[in-house]
Amino acid sequence: MKAGKIMALLVALLAIAAVPVSTVWAASSSVTPGEILIQPLPGVPAIGKPGDIVEIHPVDGVAIDSLQIVSILHGPYDLQIVGTENGVIKAKIPEDAVPDDYFLVVKSNKGEVTIPNGVWVIKDAPTVLRIAHGSDLHVTSGSKMGFVCGDYFQKSIPEILQYCDHPYAMHSYTATDSFVTYYSMTGLRSENVINLIISTGDDVDTNGDSEGYKMLDEAILHGTAAGTPFISIKGNHDHPPTYYNKYVGPRYFYEVIGDFLIIGLDSRGEERHPELEQLQWMENVLKSHPNKTVIVLVHHPFWYSTPDGKWGGTIKGYTAFDDGDWNALTKFISWDWEGRNGEYDEIARYFLQMVEKYNVRLVLSGHIHKDKPVLYIDKNGEKHWFYALTTTGAPDKTSNPPSETDKQRGYTKPSWYGSQVIYVYDNGTVEFPLVSDMFVQDKPVSLPVPQKFIVYRQNGEDGTAVKFVNELDNAISGPIVLEIPEGAKVDPEHTNITYTVLGEREIGGTYYMLLNVTVPQGVSQITVVKSPDTQAPTVDVGYLTPSKPQPGRQFKVFIAAKDNVGIRDMKVQIISDGKVTAEYPAFSMQPSKVDATYYTEIPGVDTSEFTIKVIATDFYGNTGETTYTVGGSATTSPSTTQTESSGSTCGPALIVGLALLPVLLRKRK
């Protein structure tokens, strides 16, 4: 095998296999959370007030030695084990525990784990749940990504460059981490704008991607360690739950939060709806928790259309308890629930009957990668909201505007990365406070997060750095958690956001820093380092595909790069006859790694001989460069040069206005 092909193979394998190394859940052993506990897990916390008894469900054969909760600011507190019933441990939250979202440290005969979002200690029973809804995160350890610029979304670099010259890459991990980070910033520690983050399934892109689940847990940690709890259900991409049960949560569950009851269902894989036994379990839960305001989470949407159309609308004046009404309703119900020939009729009808009988106020879903709000008003006049959210993290959706490929496939309605804010009051009222009209036909009603608020984290051996892209109408303020090397401090000379360090702590073998920050509009950064960074990135061209580009034909450039703190930006120049004729951005295929593969797509070069120059810039302005010469019949080996600059890339810290939620979110363009 030729050397070039060997290099191509190695880089391709690294692009698929290399992922961030996460220590967010493990302590002294390699055991996973789900090998110790069934519940709580990172996607399903235990919830209670100081002095309350919470349930800990160990895996069969696991003996729990001790339970402890700790956050960056509070604890550690020991949970007193007060008894065991049918294998379920009853543990008491200490009376003096400060309300917070805690890591749960579990010591057992099978090993020790530290679980983020393990126990949510609430001060008082909430009178309103302020929910940030995300769905279809599709986190992957592979290289799936899309590209955004303002309202635009495209699947390739040449396509997005038609609309702007400064696009941003949106890997599924980046999208998920940005979503969680944003809503934790506007969460519990920032005056109760959001008090719960919910994901409605397809948490990872492939159910067997254990590294993808570790990346998901790390994103969950970034929100929950900042104080905002997270609840998730599984989707068809998480099915069967080979790793889901080990890293996220059980197939189905319920949570009680004061007067609220949240039921998480599993609509499985190709079955696309819960089985009858699961719905019978759901009814038992509803019977045993009367007078609660009920929210149901299920990945596959119940409704396909309404009298207003397939995009959503209102269905009014029916009841699932009347045969004639039910026959009329079946034309609106998704085949996933009803079946093409009504073969799942019992399942669909039973579910809607429970929605009516127990007055379920809100059913949240995902799956379709489009916004579909449906308001079902039953014969008694009770309102039941069914809301299916667009994808928050998957880039394989319809472009905005639709590309030629999309149009050829029949997809002409654009989508984007979105989320939603929903308020549910303890009296059953449901509000979408940041959207003026939920029934806008064929347009997104979701909010532009993470589309317009992007967080790029880099964790190196000598420091941590974060690049923010804020294209919302206001500065965004609130808490953020960073993983840092021991002894690292914020460098104000290379930080242009306003910040206050709230606390630091080592938990489960990782050092964390909690800050309150204000992220201004535009592009900004924060650096936390052991000492000022004078080391330039190293960068090499790995290979081209095709390996011998033809004049005027598109090709890709794959680049291997690394840094001791983090690479902030990378660009690729095309040089012909000694002049720079074109310049393109390059993007990381492993966004949180400082040792990663980058790539870009070149639309074409109108000559058979040219030079590719790659320039990587870190958060201190240090640059690493390499060149790669393409000839008429062959390419030369890369020639690498390094230049260093420790000059500041930022001015002094900016003082910007405090804004919890941007005005942009109040009205869609």
Side-chain angles (χ1 to χ4, degrees), residues 318-335:
Y318 297 93
T319 175
F321 290 96
D322 180 85
D323 290 344
D325 283 356
W326 176 251
N327 289 333
L329 283 170
T330 55
K331 64 184 177 184
F332 301 124
I333 297 171
S334 168
W335 283 343

Side-chain angles (χ1 to χ4, degrees), residues 79-375:
L79 297 186
Q80 180 187 358
I81 298 176
V82 298
T84 302
E85 183 179 334
N86 298 323
V88 178
I89 293 173
K90 308 290 185 177
K92 182 179 180 180
I93 300 173
E95 298 280 357
D96 60 345
V98 179
D100 203 347
D101 194 342
Y102 287 90
F103 292 80
L104 174 63
V105 182
V106 185
K107 294 182 179 180
S108 77
N109 64 329
K110 299 292 186 180
E112 179 181 339
V113 289
T114 301
I115 302 172
N117 195 40
V119 178
W120 176 21
V121 179
I122 60 178
K123 180 179 180 181
D124 299 301
T127 58
V128 56
L129 285 185
R130 299 176 175 90
I131 297 168
H133 180 202
S135 192
D136 296 79
L137 309 176
H138 287 271
V139 175
T140 176
S141 62
S143 58
K144 181 181 287 189
M145 68 176 71
F147 302 90
V148 298
C149 182
D151 287 333
Y152 299 117
F153 159 76
Q154 297 293 323
K155 301 181 185 73
S156 75
I157 297 172
E159 286 174 334
I160 195 66
L161 286 174
Q162 296 178 39
Y163 304 100
C164 70
D165 58 3
H166 59 281
Y168 301 105
M170 194 79 90
H171 188 280
S172 57
Y173 170 79
T174 301
T176 299
D177 189 55
S178 301
F179 157 71
V180 173
T181 298
Y182 175 86
Y183 284 110
S184 66
M185 289 180 67
T186 57
L188 288 173
R189 288 200 177 100
S190 56
E191 301 183 10
N192 291 326
V193 175
I194 295 298
N195 54 18
L196 179 62
I197 299 172
I198 287 177
S199 169
T200 49
D202 281 359
D203 286 343
V204 300
D205 198 52
T206 305
N207 74 297
D209 185 2
S210 62
E211 298 300 331
Y213 280 111
K214 293 177 185 177
M215 296 166 71
L216 170 70
D217 278 355
E218 188 162 2
I220 292 173
L221 181 152
H222 291 153
T224 59
T228 303
F230 181 97
I231 292 176
S232 181
I233 60 169
K234 66 178 285 292
N236 56 293
H237 279 251
D238 303 302
H239 189 82
T242 308
Y243 289 108
Y244 186 88
N245 295 153
K246 294 182 178 181
Y247 293 97
V248 186
R251 280 186 58 211
Y252 50 91
F253 59 89
Y254 71 90
E255 298 268 32
V256 177
I257 311 172
D259 290 330
F260 297 92
L261 173 64
I262 297 178
I263 296 177
L265 297 178
D266 175 20
S267 51
R268 303 178 288 170
E270 290 304 312
E271 300 87 351
R272 301 188 294 278
H273 56 266
E275 69 273 27
L276 182 61
E277 293 77 9
Q278 191 181 157
L279 294 185
Q280 291 170 338
W281 165 87
M282 172 180 165
E283 182 156 31
N284 288 332
V285 171
L286 290 166
K287 286 178 179 177
S288 60
H289 295 83
N291 304 316
K292 298 290 186 183
T293 298
V294 183
I295 301 167
V296 173
L297 317 177
V298 61
H299 181 63
H300 291 84
F302 185 79
W303 301 104
Y304 172 71
S305 65
T306 73
D308 301 312
K310 291 189 294 184
W311 54 271
T314 301
I315 303 172
K316 184 176 182 180
Y318 297 93
T319 175
F321 290 96
D322 180 85
D323 290 344
D325 283 356
W326 176 251
N327 289 333
L329 283 170
T330 55
K331 64 184 177 184
F332 301 124
I333 297 171
S334 168
W335 283 343
D336 292 344
W337 282 79
E338 173 68 10
R340 289 177 180 268
N341 301 303
E343 58 266 34
Y344 312 129
D345 186 82
E346 180 184 15
I347 295 287
R349 188 170 187 179
Y350 184 22
F351 179 75
L352 192 58
Q353 285 176 341
M354 281 194 286
V355 168
E356 293 184 38
K357 181 178 179 180
Y358 298 98
N359 208 6
V360 175
R361 295 297 189 172
L362 178 65
V363 180
L364 296 179
S365 302
H367 184 65
I368 56 176
H369 292 198
K370 302 282 185 183
D371 292 310
K372 181 175 287 188
V374 175
L375 177 59

Side-chain angles (χ1 to χ4, degrees), residues 568-579:
R568 189 177 189 272
D569 297 294
M570 186 176 293
K571 60 185 178 181
V572 173
Q573 296 177 338
I574 303 299
I575 300 174
S576 181
D577 295 329
K579 298 179 180 179

Side-chain angles (χ1 to χ4, degrees), residues 381-447:
E382 297 291 348
K383 295 181 178 180
H384 314 275
W385 276 98
F386 291 73
Y387 179 57
L389 177 70
T390 187
T391 173
T392 303
D396 51 348
K397 55 186 180 290
T398 311
S399 300
N400 181 27
S403 66
E404 291 303 317
T405 302
D406 291 327
K407 294 175 183 177
Q408 292 169 9
R409 297 172 62 193
Y411 300 139
T412 59
K413 299 172 183 177
S415 186
W416 70 349
Y417 298 90
S419 55
Q420 189 59 270
V421 170
I422 308 167
Y423 286 5
V424 184
Y425 295 84
D426 56 7
N427 65 3
T429 301
V430 175
E431 293 181 353
F432 297 82
L434 304 182
V435 180
S436 58
D437 185 359
M438 286 296 292
F439 299 119
V440 179
Q441 186 172 357
D442 295 334
K443 292 183 179 180
V445 294
S446 53
L447 308 176

